[in-house]
């Protein structure tokens, strides 16, 4: 007799690696359910959703409605939402991960993606709840939870941009540094009518590679010296994004700025038309000494001067 033998090699696992299971657990904890849809999609629906990429046609499709490889996970997810809405399921949270396929310069490319869709009420039905519908910021919060898992959430940003499948004015391109890595927004009204969806349907899609590598936590001692908070309210053009202001404040304030919070956005009486007021809370602290009033005023003055120079911001009365 011969004893069968086989080598079992332990595969290394990088401590900073973020698996798809880790990301899935975040979404499940936020009320999502995982969906698994076909990689074959309807060419007409795909053209409406993602005409920006060249699809890969199948030589022998199962049917005319499954004749192309998906260039996005949205067709499958939106079809799943349509299917559930027709069966009286009004509050839905789905996510899916899988490959997308597209053709470029005669070569077929494939990328691992993570996508999600939400629709219906913000919270489950409850006697003490108002049943408000979800909005852009509900989905944005879910996506930011994924960013937080990486440990470098500050590298990600949302830039207003238009996508054929998304509502004009309620869509954004997701960036990691300067590189586009995904999209988020409300489903376009024409697509809502075509699929008979709820008007409050929202979607996101991200490249997995942008989330796959995390940043290891490092020990940082707690300062023995007190932190100081200064609130700053500035009036800027209504079209200016808060993210641009935040980036300018963080860069100008330097190492003394430990945390930056936006706690108020105001439009109305006392603010001229086309302008808005944004209020920041600056948390300042040093690890070697107690900050003086001169230190604090110096930071606030630098920030206000820079915001005025760069964005035409003025202090709110």
């Amino acid at each position: 007799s011969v004893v069968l033998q086989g080598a079992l090699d332990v595969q290394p696992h990088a401590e900073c690696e973020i698996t798809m299971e880790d990301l899935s657990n975040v979404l499940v904890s936020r009320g999502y359910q995982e969906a698994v849809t076909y990689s074959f999609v309807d060419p007409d629906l795909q053209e409406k959703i993602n005409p920006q990429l060249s699809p890969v046609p199948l030589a022998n499709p199962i049917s005319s409605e499954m004749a192309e490889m998906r260039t996005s996970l949205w067709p499958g997810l939106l079809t799943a939402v349509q299917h559930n809405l027709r069966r009286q399921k009004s509050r839905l949270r789905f996510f899916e991960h899988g490959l997308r396929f597209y053709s470029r310069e005669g070569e077929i490319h494939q990328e691992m993606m993570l996508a999600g869709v939400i629709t219906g009420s913000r919270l489950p039905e409850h006697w003490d709840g108002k049943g408000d519908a979800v909005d852009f910021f509900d989905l944005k919060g879910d996506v930011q939870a994924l960013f937080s898992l990486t440990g470098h959430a500050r590298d990600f940003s949302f830039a207003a941009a238009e996508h054929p499948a998304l509502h004009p004015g309620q869509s954004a391109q997701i960036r990691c540094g300067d590189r586009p890595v995904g999209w988020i927004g409300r489903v376009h009204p024409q697509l809502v009518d075509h699929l008979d969806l709820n008007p409050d349907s929202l979607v996101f899609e991200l490249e997995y590679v942008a989330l796959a590598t995390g940043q290891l936590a490092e020990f940082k001692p707690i300062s023995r010296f007190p932190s100081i908070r200064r609130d700053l309210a500035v009036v800027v053009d209504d079209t200016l994004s808060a993210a641009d202001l935040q980036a300018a404040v963080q860069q100008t304030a330097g190492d003394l700025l430990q945390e930056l919070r936006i706690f108020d956005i105001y439009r109305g009486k006392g603010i001229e038309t086309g302008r808005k007021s944004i209020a920041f809370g600056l948390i300042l602290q040093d690890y070697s000494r107690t900050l003086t009033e001169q230190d604090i005023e110096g930071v606030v003055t630098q920030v206000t001067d820079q915001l005025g120079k760069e964005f035409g911001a003025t202090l709110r009365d």
Side-chain angles (χ1 to χ4, degrees):
S1 62
V2 178
V3 178
L4 298 178
Q5 294 182 340
L8 299 177
D9 297 327
V10 177
Q11 297 297 320
H13 177 74
E15 191 174 357
C16 60
E17 179 185 355
I18 297 176
T19 67
M20 190 63 79
E21 183 179 1
D22 296 329
L23 298 170
S24 298
N25 288 337
V26 171
L27 293 175
V28 169
S29 69
R30 299 178 74 87
Y32 285 72
Q33 292 179 302
E34 184 173 0
V36 180
T37 66
Y38 288 107
S39 297
F40 310 141
V41 297
D42 182 355
D44 292 336
L45 178 58
Q46 180 147 273
E47 176 64 22
K48 290 180 173 65
I49 291 178
N50 197 28
Q52 299 168 324
L53 292 179
S54 300
V56 179
L58 298 178
N60 297 295
I62 300 173
S63 69
S64 61
E65 295 181 349
M66 304 177 71
E68 287 181 352
M69 302 294 288
R70 63 188 181 190
T71 60
S72 167
L73 305 188
W74 286 348
L77 285 174
L78 291 178
T79 302
V81 169
Q82 178 192 54
H83 180 85
N84 280 267
L85 289 175
R86 289 175 176 175
R87 284 152 183 81
Q88 301 178 325
K89 302 295 183 181
S90 59
R91 184 178 186 273
L92 303 169
R93 304 286 188 280
F94 292 149
F95 78 93
E96 182 177 14
H97 56 82
L99 294 172
R100 72 171 180 181
F101 308 84
Y102 60 93
S103 176
R104 179 179 294 165
E105 298 179 355
E107 293 186 3
I108 297 177
H109 299 263
Q110 59 182 28
E111 295 175 341
M112 181 61 70
M113 307 294 291
L114 175 64
V117 57
I118 64 174
T119 190
S121 60
R122 177 173 291 118
L123 299 172
E125 185 176 6
H126 190 267
W127 63 267
D128 194 32
K130 296 181 180 179
D132 294 335
V134 292
D135 60 22
F136 181 91
F137 297 102
D138 291 305
L139 187 62
K140 183 180 179 183
D142 295 336
V143 172
Q144 288 177 317
L146 297 174
F147 297 160
S148 297
L149 190 64
T150 68
H152 54 89
R154 286 189 176 183
D155 293 342
F156 293 90
S157 62
F158 299 84
E162 293 190 3
H163 187 285
L166 302 178
H167 193 300
Q170 298 190 49
S171 64
Q173 187 180 67
I174 303 172
R175 294 177 169 270
C176 183
D178 295 329
R179 190 173 75 86
V181 296
W183 288 89
I184 181 175
R186 185 181 297 273
V187 179
H188 197 286
Q190 293 179 351
L191 194 55
V192 166
D193 291 340
H194 178 73
L195 295 175
D196 196 23
L197 304 177
N198 288 334
D200 58 11
S201 300
L202 298 110
V203 292
F204 78 86
E205 187 167 35
L206 290 163
E207 297 177 7
Y208 169 60
V209 68
L211 304 169
T213 303
Q215 181 174 310
L216 295 181
E218 296 181 2
F219 172 75
K220 189 176 183 179
I222 298 175
S223 176
R224 296 184 294 108
F225 303 95
S227 62
I228 305 295
R229 172 167 174 157
R230 284 292 184 271
D231 293 343
L232 181 66
V234 295
V235 179
V236 296
D237 289 340
D238 202 10
T239 56
L240 185 65
S241 71
D244 291 338
L245 288 171
Q246 277 185 300
V249 172
Q250 289 168 342
Q251 184 176 5
T252 305
D255 295 337
L256 292 183
L257 182 65
Q258 301 302 316
E259 189 177 353
L260 179 63
R261 302 173 184 171
I262 296 179
F263 64 89
D264 182 64
I265 298 179
Y266 174 75
R267 302 174 182 87
K269 186 177 180 180
I271 305 294
E272 61 186 283
T273 304
R275 307 273 283 179
K276 63 183 175 183
S277 168
I278 299 183
F280 296 94
L282 285 71
I283 312 299
L284 306 173
Q285 189 177 38
D286 194 282
Y287 283 87
S288 61
R289 61 188 176 89
T290 300
L291 294 178
T292 65
E293 192 65 29
Q294 184 177 1
D295 296 326
I296 299 166
E297 290 302 320
V299 171
V300 172
T301 300
Q302 287 179 338
V303 168
T304 53
D305 289 347
Q306 181 61 30
L307 293 182
K309 179 181 177 181
E310 189 172 347
F311 304 107
T314 58
L315 288 175
R316 182 177 173 184
D317 297 332

